[in-house]
Amino acid sequence: MKNLVEELQWRGLVHDMMPGTEEQLLKEMTTTYIGFDPTSDSLHIGSLVPIILLVHLGNFGHKPIALVGGATGMIGDPSGKSDERNLLDEVTLEKNVAGIKAVLSRFLDFNSKATNAPILVNNYDWMKDFSFINFARDVGKRITVNYMMSKDSVKKRLETEGEGMSFTEFTYQLIQGYDFHHLYKTHNCLLQMGGSDQWGNITTGTELVRRINGEGAKAFAMTCPLITKADGSKFGKSEGGNVWLTADKTSVYKFYQFWLNTTDVDAEKYIKIFTFLDKNTIDELIEEHQTAPHLRVLQKRLAEEVTIFVHGKEELEKAIFASNAFFSPTMDDLKKLDETTFLEVFEGVPKAKVSKEDVENGLDMIAALSAKTNFLASNSDARRELKQNSISLNKERVVEDYIISSKDLINNQFLMLQKGKKNYYLIQVM
């Protein structure tokens, strides 16, 4: 077997690892699982790391299992949380489970006939018929309260002010631990992976495997670091909230822009974590970027690789086209964009609305710049800028007596004003 641990280590994807894990992965094809809790009907880029870990596992000849937590999702993982989670109703949970299965199926071929073909499971399937009494006898008896309370996820909640932790969330690590035992018995699963905040839950699972199946039972654990930005802020958030892996929640254009706008320090870190480029290629890209940082070689390659992985090459090309359209010397490319993408391209640009009637009756440039939109402070400011030939309409210079009409509209509803080279304004005609 090729050395998966070595590969993950240079990429910065190993945080904690139980002794013997690397030796097990070098010895034979090892079935490994990672869990995904259905807190939404999609996954955001925070879930890209576990997805990528599953793909690496398959690429290195191991057998990945993606577990969707239909049962654990009913309880809520207390790890890293300061407050009790709201419980999801069954209808929402079913919708979320279906959505997550659909996302995972884009990255892993669950219909493959290969020896190490990935498997998709839902822990609700084996937990739904478990009675409370049987669970208390068969599982609860194996792990002491002292052991459970020693976990950081429990200690932090008990030590901080607030409502503490309910019995429901306290049992979460036992249920996740039982998942490991079940997969050990049914699929010979020997390793669980996850984020570093999952170490306590995962090691409870390894302990439960050994206590139920005897000291000879083998079970291993490995976690990856939680991804952060260089400035310490949370990874995976944009101004509009989470960056999702489905285009209905985060458009491909916005997704591409997120990666394109990463800092130099973050891009150097992320290109190792979020792409499958080999070490030599990445080292060369970093060196090229350091020679000419203004060309943003790292950010461009990072954005391209991740967008192709998540959305495909065709969608990447559309996102690049939309990105370039803004800086095109003419309006031709902008006119080809649909309304949603057009508005996303102009996100952050000052906007104003005018009535369709105003434009149909003829809107003079001074009114368009001041009274109707407040882009410029006064009519005199508007006249001065127009006389200085610094105002453009739809990327063409205009003079003071220019009258805007319906023929100037982009896609029948937009007008783009520009003062100088960098100050853009957008008028939406309603």
Side-chain angles (χ1 to χ4, degrees), residues 147-210:
Y147 179 87
M148 293 172 70
M149 289 183 70
S150 70
K151 302 296 181 180
D152 284 344
S153 59
V154 176
K155 279 199 295 187
K156 285 176 183 175
R157 283 284 287 277
L158 295 179
E159 288 169 0
T160 56
E161 292 181 11
E163 295 182 2
M165 176 185 283
S166 69
F167 175 75
T168 304
E169 281 196 350
F170 185 60
T171 61
Y172 185 94
Q173 62 174 292
L174 281 184
I175 298 175
Q176 183 171 326
Y178 184 80
D179 289 342
F180 201 167
H181 161 71
H182 177 85
L183 294 174
Y184 172 86
K185 293 292 285 184
T186 55
H187 295 286
N188 191 33
C189 179
L190 302 182
L191 171 63
Q192 184 184 171
M193 297 172 76
S196 58
D197 61 335
Q198 291 295 306
W199 183 252
N201 291 335
I202 294 173
T203 51
T204 297
T206 62
E207 195 65 26
L208 203 55
V209 167
R210 281 192 285 271

Side-chain angles (χ1 to χ4, degrees), residues 352-358 412-414 427-430:
K353 293 177 181 177
V354 301
S355 72
K356 203 159 196 173
E357 189 180 359
D358 283 334
N412 293 317
Q413 62 171 318
F414 300 109
I427 297 176
Q428 189 167 8
V429 180
M430 309 293 284

